[in-house]
Amino acid sequence: MIRHLLLAITPLMLVAPTALEAHTVWIEPKDGQLVVRFAEPGSDYETSPGYLDNLSAPTAFMVITNAPVAIEAPKKADHFSLTGASPTNTVCLETSFTVRGGRKPCFYARWQPAGGGESKPLLTLDLVPTGKPGEVRVWLRGKPLGGVEATLRTPDEKELNLTADADGFLHFDAKQPGQYLLTIAHHREEQALPGFYAGIAYKETSHNAALSWEQPK
């Protein structure tokens, strides 16, 4: 019996880390409020108990008159709830996943209301709207990041691959009404920054960013 259980469990242990490679953290509206999701876009949301429990509690804030105001993010069954945040607010957060394979995955997410105008970088890796339709600039540690690859998921669930120009600008068409999700996955800095997280050593940090918004009709 034990041998059969081990044979059944081992493939899951091998598959699970690979299955998380395409995951991201993003913000979206739910019942008039904003919530934090963790999943591969288009797939089922991760839950608690489950992989949602491997994310650290998000550090989240709303942007009010250009200043960050901290908000709570309690964990629910399939999301983190952003207390007091509505889709009309600009909201940012950061969180991280358990160290895997000597790598610490960090996640940064921003919700920007449509028509929110020009913003400024507020996260380590940030997708920042410029205020111009279909234009976002990528920032890493407060400096523009050029040449990075991004993915735009449109309301009709299509995915478009984009590449930032030398100055970090991404350009795309976002006229279709509905929810958009722009992501950067697994960006690694040229200089590895090793350390420890929850008592586990890691050799490098993987940065993942998401920008989401809802285009009105």
Side-chain angles (χ1 to χ4, degrees):
M1 174 68 73
I2 293 176
R3 180 174 182 274
H4 288 305
L5 286 172
L6 288 174
L7 289 174
I9 293 171
T10 301
L12 292 175
M13 294 174 64
L14 293 174
V15 170
T18 304
L20 288 173
E21 286 298 321
H23 277 48
T24 192
V25 172
W26 74 94
I27 303 170
E28 69 177 19
K30 180 181 185 294
D31 300 329
Q33 298 294 313
L34 291 176
V35 300
V36 183
R37 300 293 194 185
F38 180 46
E40 180 178 353
S43 301
D44 292 339
Y45 303 130
E46 297 296 349
T47 62
S48 176
Y51 281 127
L52 190 64
D53 298 323
N54 290 107
L55 286 179
S56 63
T59 299
F61 57 90
M62 292 186 292
V63 180
I64 300 178
T65 61
N66 295 321
V69 177
I71 55 177
E72 295 182 355
K75 187 191 302 178
K76 305 297 182 180
D78 63 357
H79 65 273
F80 289 90
S81 178
L82 294 170
T83 304
S86 78
T88 60
N89 300 125
T90 295
V91 177
C92 297
L93 67 85
E94 57 185 276
T95 181
S96 59
F97 193 78
T98 303
V99 172
R100 297 184 302 115
R103 177 167 52 90
K104 179 188 177 186
C106 292
F107 295 90
Y108 312 94
R110 173 191 286 261
W111 170 267
Q112 187 87 358
E118 182 180 5
S119 190
K120 62 181 181 180
L122 297 168
L123 299 163
T124 300
L125 178 62
D126 206 353
L127 289 158
V128 183
T130 66
K132 299 178 181 179
E135 184 178 83
V136 167
R137 197 173 194 184
V138 186
W139 296 80
L140 177 65
R141 300 191 184 279
K143 296 181 180 180
L145 179 63
V148 67
E149 295 183 355
T151 301
L152 178 67
R153 186 175 178 85
T154 59
D156 56 3
E157 299 186 350
K158 294 180 180 178
E159 291 190 348
L160 305 175
N161 296 322
L162 305 171
T163 301
D165 65 19
D167 295 314
F169 289 101
L170 292 164
H171 295 96
F172 48 85
D173 183 356
K175 297 178 182 178
Q176 181 183 355
Q179 186 172 316
Y180 287 81
L181 178 62
L182 181 64
T183 59
I184 294 175
H186 313 308
H187 178 74
R188 302 180 187 183
E189 298 177 85
E190 293 181 2
Q191 180 181 0
L193 299 172
F196 292 85
Y197 177 72
I200 303 175
Y202 61 89
K203 296 180 180 179
E204 62 180 355
T205 301
S206 170
H207 297 291
N208 306 268
L211 167 66
S212 48
W213 72 95
E214 191 159 358
Q215 190 71 21
K217 295 181 180 180

